[in-house]
Amino acid sequence: MRAAERGRALSRAPLLLYRLLAEGRYDFTYDQMPVSVRGMPWPKRLNVLRSGLNLLRRRLRPWAMPLHIQAELTSFCQLKCPVCPTGTGELNRAPRSMRPALFQQVMREAGPYLLTASLWGWGESLLNPQLREILRCAAGSGVVTFLSTNGQFLDRESVLRDILDYPPSYLIVSIDGLTDETNARFRAGARLEPALRGIHRLAELKRERGLRLPVLHMRFIAMKHNEHELPQLEAFAASHGFDMASVRSLVIYDSESGLQAHLSLLPGTRSLRGYEYQGRRRIRRSDHVCMQPFWFPSVFADGTLVACEQDFNAGQPLGVLGDGVSFADLWYGPKAAEVRRLVRDEADSLSFCRNCPNQDRPVTDTSLRAVFLNPGLSNPLVVEGGRA
Ligand SMILES: C[S@@+](CC[C@H](N)C(=O)[O-])C[C@H]1O[C@@H](n2cnc3c(N)ncnc32)[C@H](O)[C@@H]1O
Ligand code: SF4
């Protein structure tokens, strides 16, 4: 979060507070996906309120349980994207699929407080063989959920059934080119056909059954080799049945070769870049206030909890969930306090903070803009009782 954004959030506090306490309502945008939660249960209202205090003072023992969580459904992938540690093979954690029992534990213990859960990490979510159980638990959790996929398994009837029976709030499909050639320049090994066939089918089944969810979201990372396709993006997404499309900037991760690959893929159009550059050097910024360890941890597929998803090899684990270890034990534990102190006071001592993808961006969101294509869909997505 930028310092100015923190200031704006604090200046909106009286209105937010009134809506939160009087109506149980909280409106927010998650990486260009707008959501309005209404009629929130009291534990969640109070947690949002207490979380706001983290903006005033980032205590090592935070004022609240997290607002957001990332749950890594798998730590492996069939593609080889060049600016992703999984794609490049720099992820050295064992390839694992999250067990439903672990996901259930997270949702049982943290779910009553969470606004959102992102159902992905450093891997391809649809490769989890127990996807159905996880989606079932997510759909019943009262949390707004986002599921991101490279779409390569979306042509499987069983996957479509799982998604429609227990829909996430938003289904994000990563497509970075309007032809197989441009898409596979980043999505190495991907084909458009399974992803597009799956979306056509999902849109058709949603229409037939009168379903609102999931919101079908095409996410496109703007790069050198695909920026010329942007004028056709909306028409392409609409013609294939997507409800919305967004343009995302290419971000860095903690790796020297990843940084070089990032530079070689930068779009020529400056407004499509995530950062500003002087020659090949990224211009550093000092107005970043990191909130990640205070309200947005990640649970990796094997149960390891980390303060920030950018710690992709879990170099600073807060601990491992399960076997009698609860979410609160780790969230409020001594290791979490130590990692928060490092992130807050000595960020330069952590390589994932030195190479933080958020620090040098002029805005908080990675995505640059989004457009809703389905006039029948409410914008923002209204979610009653925290449940979509
Ligand atoms: C790491 S991926 C994991 C989920 C899934 N495998 C996928 O690709 O959608 C999660 C999200 O990060 C995005 N992403 C991956 N590498 C990126 C990069 N270098 N810059 C910006 N977004 C990136 C993907 O497009 C996707 O929306
Ligand atoms: S599809 Fe997703 S997880 Fe797989 S390599 Fe690409 S960005 Fe990484």
Side-chain angles (χ1 to χ4, degrees):
M1 176 178 263
R2 318 264 38 119
E5 287 168 328
R6 175 163 79 157
R8 272 199 298 280
L10 287 170
S11 71
R12 286 170 50 225
L15 177 63
L16 292 181
L17 199 64
Y18 169 76
R19 285 188 173 158
L20 187 65
L21 294 180
E23 305 169 22
R25 173 174 170 178
Y26 187 65
D27 297 346
F28 61 97
T29 300
Y30 182 99
D31 206 18
Q32 302 285 331
M33 289 173 279
V35 181
S36 177
V37 183
R38 314 270 171 92
M40 252 187 264
W42 274 99
K44 210 173 280 212
R45 291 186 205 195
L46 294 177
N47 197 61
V48 175
L49 182 67
R50 294 166 65 97
S51 292
L53 297 174
N54 290 320
L55 285 171
L56 289 173
R57 183 153 166 256
R58 292 180 295 166
R59 282 205 317 181
L60 300 185
R61 181 186 162 88
W63 301 91
M65 288 285 269
L67 286 176
H68 309 281
I69 206 164
Q70 188 162 45
E72 184 183 70
L73 300 200
T74 72
S75 56
F76 56 92
C77 183
Q78 72 280 61
L79 300 187
K80 302 259 175 275
C81 302
V83 194
C84 166
T86 316
T88 59
E90 286 160 292
L91 196 83
N92 61 27
R93 289 184 284 118
R96 290 284 289 269
S97 290
M98 183 174 280
R99 286 176 299 106
L102 172 62
F103 187 75
Q104 282 154 7
Q105 181 191 351
V106 173
M107 292 321 247
R108 192 172 56 246
E109 295 175 353
Y113 308 100
L114 290 172
L115 287 174
T116 73
S118 302
L119 307 181
W120 74 81
W122 298 106
E124 170 48 36
S125 308
L126 300 190
L127 291 172
N128 186 309
Q130 288 165 301
L131 179 71
R132 186 175 181 80
E133 302 314 311
I134 290 182
L135 291 182
R136 191 206 318 253
C137 173
S141 67
V143 175
V144 178
T145 52
F146 306 94
L147 175 63
S148 181
T149 173
N150 59 36
Q152 298 306 291
F153 271 15
L154 273 182
D155 58 348
R156 300 191 173 191
E157 279 299 320
S158 62
V159 169
L160 298 187
R161 201 177 321 117
D162 296 346
I163 291 174
L164 282 181
D165 286 351
Y166 303 108
S169 313
Y170 282 87
L171 176 69
I172 305 165
V173 186
S174 306
I175 294 182
D176 301 325
L178 307 188
T179 67
D180 269 330
E181 202 227 317
T182 48
N183 184 44
R185 288 285 291 280
F186 186 83
R187 301 274 151 197
R191 288 183 307 122
L192 285 177
E193 208 257 347
L196 296 178
R197 186 134 56 96
I199 288 299
H200 268 290
R201 188 95 183 98
L202 280 172
E204 188 177 74
L205 291 168
K206 271 178 64 183
R207 254 193 321 274
E208 274 172 30
R209 299 184 194 177
L211 298 175
R212 188 172 67 116
L213 302 179
V215 177
L216 303 173
H217 174 181
M218 172 173 167
R219 191 184 243 178
F220 182 100
I221 305 177
M223 290 171 278
K224 189 193 268 183
H225 56 270
N226 66 12
E227 60 187 310
H228 64 281
E229 295 179 329
L230 279 170
Q232 284 88 49
L233 175 63
E234 279 178 39
F236 177 93
S239 71
H240 289 289
F242 282 100
D243 296 313
M244 70 176 287
S246 69
V247 179
R248 190 170 167 86
S249 61
L250 182 70
V251 298
I252 55 170
Y253 68 101
D254 183 16
S255 140
E256 207 30 64
S257 59
L259 289 175
Q260 296 312 316
H262 160 88
L263 285 171
S264 72
L265 293 169
L266 280 182
T269 313
R270 290 172 81 104
S271 59
L272 295 173
R273 297 177 176 182
Y275 318 98
E276 285 157 1
Y277 298 84
Q278 211 157 34
R280 286 176 70 79
R281 289 173 69 88
R282 196 169 75 256
I283 298 178
R284 307 309 302 258
R285 298 181 66 110
S286 54
D287 60 344
H288 179 233
V289 182
C290 178
M291 297 304 299
Q292 214 73 6
F294 302 88
W295 62 31
F296 198 163
S298 290
V299 187
F300 287 152
D302 67 349
T304 303
L305 188 70
V306 289
C308 173
E309 60 165 329
Q310 295 307 323
D311 184 9
F312 57 81
N313 275 328
Q316 296 287 342
L318 309 190
V320 183
L321 293 166
D323 285 337
V325 179
S326 75
F327 190 91
D329 289 341
L330 300 185
W331 184 245
Y332 293 117
K335 179 65 184 172
E338 171 59 9
V339 177
R340 286 188 192 105
R341 192 190 63 74
L342 289 172
V343 171
R344 189 189 65 184
D345 303 336
E346 294 173 31
D348 275 352
S349 68
L350 300 170
S351 70
F352 64 87
C353 287
R354 284 198 301 277
N355 288 317
C356 170
N358 308 321
Q359 174 165 329
D360 299 326
R361 266 204 317 261
V363 288
T364 291
D365 278 358
T366 307
S367 299
L368 302 164
R369 56 176 187 260
V371 55
F372 267 69
L373 303 163
N374 178 350
L377 202 72
S378 77
N379 175 2
L381 182 71
V382 175
V383 176
E384 289 298 337
R387 180 179 297 218

